[in-house]
Coordinates of all heavy atoms in Angstrom, one line a residue:
L127 N 11.2 -5.6 15.9 CA 11.0 -6.9 15.3 C 12.2 -7.2 14.6 O 12.9 -6.4 13.9 CB 9.8 -6.8 14.3 CG 9.2 -8.0 13.8 CD1 8.7 -8.9 14.9 CD2 8.1 -7.7 12.8
K128 N 12.6 -8.5 14.7 CA 13.9 -8.9 14.1 C 13.7 -9.0 12.6 O 12.6 -9.2 12.1 CB 14.3 -10.2 14.7 CG 14.7 -10.1 16.1 CD 15.2 -11.4 16.7 CE 15.7 -11.1 18.1 NZ 15.2 -12.1 19.1
K129 N 14.9 -9.0 11.9 CA 14.9 -9.1 10.4 C 14.2 -10.3 9.9 O 13.3 -10.2 9.0 CB 16.3 -9.0 9.9 CG 16.5 -8.9 8.5 CD 18.0 -8.8 8.1 CE 18.2 -8.6 6.6 NZ 19.6 -8.4 6.3
D130 N 14.5 -11.5 10.5 CA 13.8 -12.7 10.1 C 12.3 -12.7 10.4 O 11.5 -13.3 9.7 CB 14.5 -13.9 10.7 CG 15.9 -14.2 10.0 OD1 16.1 -13.6 8.9 OD2 16.7 -14.9 10.6
G131 N 12.0 -12.1 11.6 CA 10.6 -12.0 11.9 C 9.8 -11.3 10.9 O 8.7 -11.7 10.5
L132 N 10.3 -10.1 10.5 CA 9.6 -9.3 9.5 C 9.6 -10.0 8.1 O 8.6 -10.0 7.4 CB 10.3 -8.0 9.4 CG 9.6 -6.9 8.5 CD1 8.2 -6.6 9.0 CD2 10.4 -5.7 8.5
G133 N 10.7 -10.7 7.8 CA 10.8 -11.4 6.6 C 9.9 -12.6 6.4 O 9.6 -13.0 5.3
N134 N 9.4 -13.1 7.5 CA 8.5 -14.3 7.4 C 7.0 -13.9 7.6 O 6.2 -14.9 7.7 CB 9.0 -15.3 8.4 CG 10.3 -15.9 8.0 OD1 10.6 -16.1 6.9 ND2 11.2 -16.1 9.0
I135 N 6.7 -12.7 7.7 CA 5.3 -12.3 7.9 C 4.3 -12.9 6.9 O 3.3 -13.5 7.2 CB 5.1 -10.8 8.1 CG1 5.7 -10.3 9.4 CG2 3.7 -10.3 7.9 CD1 5.6 -8.9 9.7
M136 N 4.6 -12.7 5.6 CA 3.7 -13.2 4.6 C 3.6 -14.7 4.7 O 2.5 -15.3 4.5 CB 4.3 -12.8 3.2 CG 4.0 -11.4 2.8 SD 2.3 -10.9 2.8 CE 1.8 -11.6 1.2
K137 N 4.7 -15.4 4.9 CA 4.6 -16.9 5.1 C 3.7 -17.3 6.2 O 2.8 -18.1 6.0 CB 6.0 -17.4 5.3 CG 6.1 -18.9 5.5 CD 7.5 -19.3 5.8 CE 7.6 -20.8 6.3 NZ 8.8 -21.2 6.8
R138 N 3.8 -16.6 7.4 CA 3.0 -16.9 8.5 C 1.5 -16.5 8.2 O 0.6 -17.2 8.7 CB 3.5 -16.2 9.8 CG 4.8 -16.8 10.3 CD 5.1 -16.3 11.7 NE 5.0 -14.9 11.9 CZ 6.0 -14.0 11.7 NH1 7.2 -14.5 11.3 NH2 5.8 -12.7 11.9
M139 N 1.3 -15.4 7.6 CA -0.1 -15.0 7.2 C -0.8 -16.0 6.3 O -1.9 -16.4 6.5 CB -0.1 -13.6 6.6 CG 0.1 -12.5 7.6 SD -0.2 -10.8 7.1 CE 0.3 -10.8 5.4
A140 N 0.0 -16.5 5.3 CA -0.6 -17.5 4.4 C -0.9 -18.8 5.2 O -2.0 -19.4 4.9 CB 0.4 -17.8 3.3
E141 N 0.0 -19.2 6.1 CA -0.3 -20.4 6.9 C -1.5 -20.3 7.7 O -2.4 -21.1 7.8 CB 0.9 -20.8 7.7 CG 2.1 -21.3 7.0 CD 3.4 -21.4 7.8 OE1 3.3 -21.1 9.0 OE2 4.4 -21.8 7.3
T142 N -1.6 -19.1 8.4 CA -2.8 -18.8 9.3 C -4.1 -18.8 8.5 O -5.1 -19.3 9.0 CB -2.6 -17.5 10.0 OG1 -1.4 -17.5 10.8 CG2 -3.8 -17.2 10.9
A143 N -4.0 -18.3 7.3 CA -5.2 -18.3 6.4 C -5.5 -19.6 5.7 O -6.5 -19.7 5.1 CB -5.0 -17.2 5.3
G144 N -4.6 -20.6 5.9 CA -4.9 -21.9 5.3 C -4.5 -21.9 3.9 O -5.0 -22.8 3.1
I145 N -3.7 -21.0 3.4 CA -3.3 -21.0 2.0 C -2.0 -21.7 1.9 O -1.0 -21.5 2.6 CB -3.1 -19.5 1.5 CG1 -4.4 -18.7 1.7 CG2 -2.6 -19.5 0.1 CD1 -4.2 -17.2 1.5
Q146 N -2.0 -22.7 0.9 CA -0.7 -23.4 0.7 C 0.3 -22.4 0.1 O 0.0 -21.8 -1.0 CB -1.0 -24.6 -0.2 CG 0.3 -25.3 -0.5 CD 0.1 -26.8 -0.8 OE1 -1.1 -27.2 -0.9 NE2 1.1 -27.5 -1.0
N147 N 1.4 -22.3 0.7 CA 2.5 -21.4 0.3 C 3.7 -22.2 -0.2 O 4.4 -22.7 0.6 CB 2.8 -20.5 1.4 CG 3.9 -19.4 1.0 OD1 4.1 -19.2 -0.2 ND2 4.5 -18.8 1.9
D148 N 3.8 -22.3 -1.5 CA 5.0 -23.0 -2.1 C 6.1 -22.0 -2.4 O 6.7 -22.1 -3.5 CB 4.6 -23.8 -3.3 CG 3.5 -24.8 -3.0 OD1 3.6 -25.4 -2.0 OD2 2.6 -25.0 -3.9
G149 N 6.3 -21.1 -1.5 CA 7.3 -20.0 -1.7 C 6.8 -18.9 -2.6 O 7.6 -18.0 -3.0
N150 N 5.5 -18.9 -2.9 CA 5.0 -17.9 -3.8 C 4.7 -16.6 -3.1 O 4.6 -15.5 -3.7 CB 3.7 -18.4 -4.5 CG 3.9 -19.6 -5.4 OD1 5.0 -19.7 -5.9 ND2 3.0 -20.4 -5.5
F151 N 4.5 -16.7 -1.8 CA 4.2 -15.5 -1.0 C 5.4 -15.0 -0.3 O 6.0 -15.7 0.6 CB 3.1 -15.7 0.0 CG 1.8 -16.1 -0.6 CD1 1.3 -17.4 -0.5 CD2 1.1 -15.2 -1.4 CE1 0.1 -17.7 -1.1 CE2 -0.1 -15.5 -2.0 CZ -0.6 -16.8 -1.8
T152 N 5.8 -13.8 -0.6 CA 6.9 -13.2 0.1 C 6.5 -11.8 0.5 O 5.4 -11.3 0.1 CB 8.2 -13.1 -0.9 OG1 7.8 -12.1 -1.9 CG2 8.6 -14.4 -1.4
N153 N 7.4 -11.0 1.2 CA 7.0 -9.7 1.5 C 6.9 -8.8 0.3 O 6.2 -7.7 0.3 CB 8.0 -9.1 2.5 CG 7.9 -9.7 3.9 OD1 7.0 -10.5 4.1 ND2 8.8 -9.4 4.8
S154 N 7.5 -9.1 -0.8 CA 7.4 -8.4 -2.0 C 6.1 -8.7 -2.8 O 5.7 -8.0 -3.7 CB 8.6 -8.6 -3.0 OG 9.7 -8.2 -2.3
S155 N 5.4 -9.8 -2.4 CA 4.2 -10.2 -3.0 C 3.1 -9.1 -2.9 O 2.3 -8.9 -3.9 CB 3.6 -11.4 -2.4 OG 4.5 -12.5 -2.6
G156 N 3.1 -8.3 -1.8 CA 2.1 -7.3 -1.7 C 2.3 -6.2 -2.7 O 1.4 -5.6 -3.3
R157 N 3.6 -5.8 -2.9 CA 3.9 -4.8 -3.9 C 3.5 -5.3 -5.3 O 2.9 -4.5 -6.1 CB 5.4 -4.5 -3.8 CG 5.9 -3.5 -4.7 CD 7.5 -3.4 -4.5 NE 8.1 -2.5 -5.3 CZ 8.4 -1.2 -5.1 NH1 8.1 -0.7 -3.9 NH2 9.1 -0.5 -5.9
K158 N 3.8 -6.5 -5.6 CA 3.5 -7.1 -6.9 C 2.0 -7.1 -7.1 O 1.4 -6.7 -8.2 CB 4.1 -8.5 -7.1 CG 3.8 -9.1 -8.4 CD 4.4 -10.5 -8.4 CE 4.1 -11.2 -9.8 NZ 4.7 -12.5 -9.9
T159 N 1.2 -7.6 -6.1 CA -0.2 -7.7 -6.2 C -0.9 -6.3 -6.3 O -1.8 -6.1 -7.1 CB -0.8 -8.4 -4.9 OG1 -0.2 -9.7 -4.8 CG2 -2.3 -8.5 -5.0
A160 N -0.3 -5.3 -5.6 CA -0.9 -4.0 -5.7 C -0.7 -3.4 -7.2 O -1.6 -2.9 -7.8 CB -0.2 -3.0 -4.7
I161 N 0.5 -3.6 -7.7 CA 0.7 -3.2 -9.1 C -0.2 -3.9 -10.1 O -0.8 -3.3 -10.9 CB 2.2 -3.3 -9.5 CG1 3.0 -2.3 -8.6 CG2 2.4 -3.1 -10.9 CD1 4.5 -2.5 -8.7
Q162 N -0.3 -5.2 -9.9 CA -1.2 -6.0 -10.8 C -2.6 -5.5 -10.8 O -3.3 -5.4 -11.8 CB -1.0 -7.5 -10.5 CG 0.3 -8.0 -11.0 CD 0.5 -9.5 -10.6 OE1 -0.2 -10.0 -9.7 NE2 1.4 -10.1 -11.2
S163 N -3.1 -5.2 -9.6 CA -4.5 -4.9 -9.4 C -4.8 -3.4 -9.9 O -5.9 -3.1 -10.3 CB -5.0 -5.0 -8.0 OG -4.3 -4.1 -7.2
L164 N -3.7 -2.6 -10.0 CA -3.9 -1.2 -10.5 C -3.8 -1.1 -12.0 O -4.3 -0.2 -12.6 CB -2.9 -0.3 -9.8 CG -3.0 -0.1 -8.3 CD1 -1.8 0.6 -7.8 CD2 -4.3 0.6 -8.0
R165 N -3.1 -2.1 -12.6 CA -2.7 -2.0 -14.0 C -3.9 -1.8 -15.0 O -3.8 -1.0 -15.9 CB -2.1 -3.3 -14.5 CG -0.7 -3.5 -14.0 CD 0.3 -2.7 -14.6 NE 0.3 -2.8 -16.1 CZ 1.2 -2.3 -16.9 NH1 2.2 -1.6 -16.4 NH2 1.2 -2.5 -18.2
G166 N -5.1 -2.4 -14.7 CA -6.2 -2.2 -15.6 C -7.0 -0.9 -15.4 O -7.9 -0.6 -16.2
H167 N -6.6 -0.2 -14.3 CA -7.4 1.0 -14.0 C -6.6 2.3 -14.0 O -7.2 3.4 -14.1 CB -8.0 0.8 -12.5 CG -8.8 -0.4 -12.4 ND1 -10.0 -0.6 -12.9 CD2 -8.4 -1.6 -11.8 CE1 -10.5 -1.8 -12.6 NE2 -9.5 -2.5 -12.0
F168 N -5.3 2.2 -14.0 CA -4.5 3.4 -14.0 C -3.3 3.2 -15.0 O -2.9 2.1 -15.2 CB -3.9 3.7 -12.6 CG -5.0 3.9 -11.6 CD1 -5.5 2.9 -10.8 CD2 -5.6 5.2 -11.4 CE1 -6.5 3.0 -9.9 CE2 -6.6 5.4 -10.5 CZ -7.0 4.3 -9.7
D169 N -2.8 4.3 -15.5 CA -1.7 4.2 -16.4 C -0.4 4.0 -15.7 O -0.3 4.2 -14.5 CB -1.6 5.5 -17.3 CG -1.2 6.7 -16.5 OD1 0.0 7.0 -16.3 OD2 -2.1 7.4 -16.0
P170 N 0.6 3.4 -16.4 CA 1.8 3.0 -15.7 C 2.5 4.2 -15.0 O 3.1 4.0 -14.0 CB 2.7 2.5 -16.9 CG 1.7 2.0 -17.9 CD 0.5 2.9 -17.8
L171 N 2.4 5.4 -15.5 CA 3.1 6.5 -14.9 C 2.5 6.8 -13.5 O 3.2 7.0 -12.5 CB 3.0 7.8 -15.8 CG 3.6 9.1 -15.2 CD1 5.1 8.8 -14.9 CD2 3.4 10.2 -16.1
T172 N 1.2 6.8 -13.4 CA 0.5 7.0 -12.2 C 0.8 5.9 -11.1 O 1.1 6.2 -10.0 CB -1.1 7.0 -12.4 OG1 -1.4 8.0 -13.3 CG2 -1.8 7.2 -11.1
I173 N 0.9 4.7 -11.6 CA 1.3 3.5 -10.7 C 2.7 3.7 -10.2 O 3.0 3.5 -9.1 CB 1.0 2.2 -11.4 CG1 -0.4 2.0 -11.8 CG2 1.6 1.0 -10.5 CD1 -0.7 0.8 -12.7
S174 N 3.6 4.0 -11.1 CA 5.0 4.1 -10.8 C 5.2 5.3 -9.8 O 6.1 5.2 -8.9 CB 5.9 4.3 -12.0 OG 5.7 5.5 -12.7
E175 N 4.4 6.3 -9.9 CA 4.5 7.4 -8.9 C 4.1 7.0 -7.5 O 4.7 7.3 -6.5 CB 3.6 8.6 -9.3 CG 4.2 9.4 -10.5 CD 3.3 10.5 -11.0 OE1 2.1 10.6 -10.5 OE2 3.7 11.2 -11.9
L176 N 3.1 6.1 -7.5 CA 2.6 5.6 -6.2 C 3.7 4.6 -5.6 O 4.0 4.7 -4.4 CB 1.3 4.8 -6.4 CG 0.8 4.0 -5.1 CD1 0.3 5.0 -4.1 CD2 -0.2 3.0 -5.5
T177 N 4.2 3.7 -6.4 CA 5.1 2.7 -5.9 C 6.6 3.2 -5.8 O 7.4 2.5 -5.2 CB 5.1 1.5 -6.8 OG1 5.5 1.8 -8.1 CG2 3.7 0.8 -6.9
G178 N 6.9 4.3 -6.3 CA 8.2 4.9 -6.2 C 9.2 4.4 -7.3 O 10.4 4.6 -7.2
H179 N 8.6 3.7 -8.3 CA 9.5 3.3 -9.5 C 9.9 4.6 -10.3 O 9.0 5.3 -10.7 CB 8.8 2.3 -10.3 CG 8.7 1.0 -9.7 ND1 7.6 0.6 -8.9 CD2 9.4 -0.1 -9.8 CE1 7.8 -0.6 -8.5 NE2 8.9 -1.1 -9.0
A180 N 11.1 4.8 -10.5 CA 11.6 6.0 -11.3 C 11.1 5.9 -12.7 O 10.9 6.9 -13.3 CB 13.1 6.1 -11.2
D181 N 11.1 4.7 -13.3 CA 10.7 4.5 -14.7 C 9.5 3.7 -14.8 O 9.4 2.5 -14.3 CB 11.9 3.8 -15.4 CG 11.6 3.6 -16.9 OD1 10.5 4.0 -17.4 OD2 12.5 3.1 -17.6
P182 N 8.4 4.2 -15.4 CA 7.1 3.4 -15.5 C 7.4 2.0 -16.2 O 6.6 1.1 -16.0 CB 6.2 4.3 -16.4 CG 6.7 5.6 -16.2 CD 8.2 5.5 -16.0
N183 N 8.4 1.9 -17.1 CA 8.6 0.7 -17.7 C 9.1 -0.4 -16.8 O 9.0 -1.6 -17.1 CB 9.7 0.8 -18.8 CG 9.1 1.7 -20.0 OD1 7.9 1.6 -20.3 ND2 10.0 2.5 -20.6
S184 N 9.6 0.0 -15.6 CA 10.1 -1.0 -14.7 C 9.0 -1.8 -14.0 O 9.3 -2.8 -13.4 CB 11.0 -0.4 -13.6 OG 10.3 0.6 -12.9
I185 N 7.8 -1.4 -14.1 CA 6.7 -2.2 -13.5 C 6.1 -3.2 -14.5 O 5.3 -4.0 -14.1 CB 5.6 -1.3 -12.9 CG1 4.9 -0.5 -14.0 CG2 6.1 -0.4 -11.8 CD1 3.7 0.3 -13.6
Q186 N 6.7 -3.2 -15.7 CA 6.2 -4.2 -16.7 C 6.3 -5.7 -16.2 O 5.5 -6.5 -16.5 CB 6.9 -4.1 -18.0 CG 6.5 -2.9 -18.8 CD 5.1 -2.9 -19.2 OE1 4.3 -2.1 -18.9 NE2 4.7 -3.9 -20.0
S187 N 7.4 -5.9 -15.5 CA 7.6 -7.3 -15.0 C 6.6 -7.8 -14.0 O 6.4 -9.0 -13.8 CB 9.0 -7.4 -14.4 OG 9.1 -6.7 -13.2
Y188 N 5.8 -6.9 -13.4 CA 4.8 -7.2 -12.5 C 3.5 -7.5 -13.2 O 2.5 -7.9 -12.5 CB 4.5 -6.1 -11.5 CG 5.7 -5.8 -10.5 CD1 6.3 -4.6 -10.6 CD2 6.1 -6.7 -9.6 CE1 7.3 -4.3 -9.7 CE2 7.1 -6.5 -8.7 CZ 7.7 -5.2 -8.8 OH 8.8 -5.0 -7.9
S189 N 3.4 -7.3 -14.5 CA 2.1 -7.3 -15.2 C 1.7 -8.7 -15.6 O 2.5 -9.6 -15.8 CB 2.2 -6.5 -16.4 OG 2.5 -5.1 -16.1
H190 N 0.4 -8.9 -15.6 CA -0.2 -10.1 -16.2 C -1.6 -9.7 -16.7 O -2.1 -8.7 -16.1 CB -0.2 -11.2 -15.2 CG -1.3 -11.1 -14.2 ND1 -1.3 -10.2 -13.2 CD2 -2.5 -11.8 -14.1 CE1 -2.4 -10.3 -12.5 NE2 -3.1 -11.2 -13.0
N191 N -2.0 -10.4 -17.7 CA -3.4 -10.1 -18.1 C -4.4 -11.0 -17.3 O -4.2 -12.2 -17.2 CB -3.5 -10.5 -19.6 CG -2.8 -9.5 -20.5 OD1 -2.8 -8.3 -20.2 ND2 -2.3 -9.9 -21.6
S192 N -5.4 -10.3 -16.8 CA -6.4 -11.0 -16.0 C -7.2 -12.0 -16.9 O -7.1 -11.8 -18.2 CB -7.4 -10.1 -15.4 OG -8.1 -9.4 -16.4
L193 N -7.9 -12.9 -16.4 CA -8.7 -13.8 -17.2 C -9.7 -13.1 -18.0 O -9.9 -13.4 -19.2 CB -9.4 -14.8 -16.3 CG -10.1 -16.0 -16.9 CD1 -9.2 -16.8 -17.8 CD2 -10.8 -16.9 -15.9
Q194 N -10.3 -12.0 -17.5 CA -11.2 -11.2 -18.2 C -10.5 -10.5 -19.4 O -11.1 -10.4 -20.5 CB -11.8 -10.1 -17.2 CG -12.8 -9.2 -17.8 CD -13.4 -8.2 -16.8 OE1 -13.0 -8.2 -15.7 NE2 -14.3 -7.4 -17.3
T195 N -9.3 -10.0 -19.2 CA -8.6 -9.3 -20.3 C -8.2 -10.4 -21.3 O -8.3 -10.1 -22.5 CB -7.3 -8.6 -19.8 OG1 -7.7 -7.7 -18.8 CG2 -6.6 -8.0 -20.9
Q196 N -7.8 -11.6 -20.9 CA -7.5 -12.6 -21.9 C -8.7 -13.0 -22.7 O -8.6 -13.2 -23.9 CB -6.9 -13.9 -21.1 CG -5.6 -13.7 -20.5 CD -5.2 -14.8 -19.6 OE1 -5.3 -16.0 -20.1 NE2 -4.8 -14.6 -18.4
R197 N -9.8 -13.0 -22.1 CA -11.1 -13.3 -22.8 C -11.4 -12.2 -23.8 O -11.8 -12.5 -24.9 CB -12.2 -13.5 -21.8 CG -13.6 -13.8 -22.5 CD -13.5 -15.1 -23.2 NE -14.6 -15.2 -24.2 CZ -15.4 -16.3 -24.2 NH1 -15.2 -17.3 -23.4 NH2 -16.4 -16.4 -25.1
A198 N -11.2 -11.0 -23.4 CA -11.5 -9.9 -24.3 C -10.6 -9.9 -25.5 O -11.0 -9.6 -26.6 CB -11.4 -8.5 -23.5

Side-chain angles (χ1 to χ4, degrees):
L127 193 61
K128 293 182 174 130
K129 188 175 181 178
D130 288 341
L132 188 60
N134 292 321
I135 283 179
M136 284 298 282
K137 178 182 170 189
R138 288 193 314 269
M139 287 191 321
E141 287 170 2
T142 301
I145 300 170
Q146 180 154 0
N147 182 15
D148 298 325
N150 296 330
F151 297 112
T152 66
N153 290 355
S154 296
S155 298
R157 184 180 174 95
K158 179 178 180 180
T159 301
I161 291 169
Q162 288 175 341
S163 66
L164 296 172
R165 288 288 302 190
H167 305 284
F168 300 95
D169 66 89
L171 179 59
T172 301
I173 297 168
S174 65
E175 287 174 356
L176 172 73
T177 60
H179 287 85
D181 182 0
N183 292 326
S184 63
I185 63 172
Q186 285 299 117
S187 64
Y188 294 117
S189 297
H190 77 288
N191 288 325
S192 67
L193 189 57
Q194 182 179 1
T195 302
Q196 292 174 49
R197 178 63 196 231

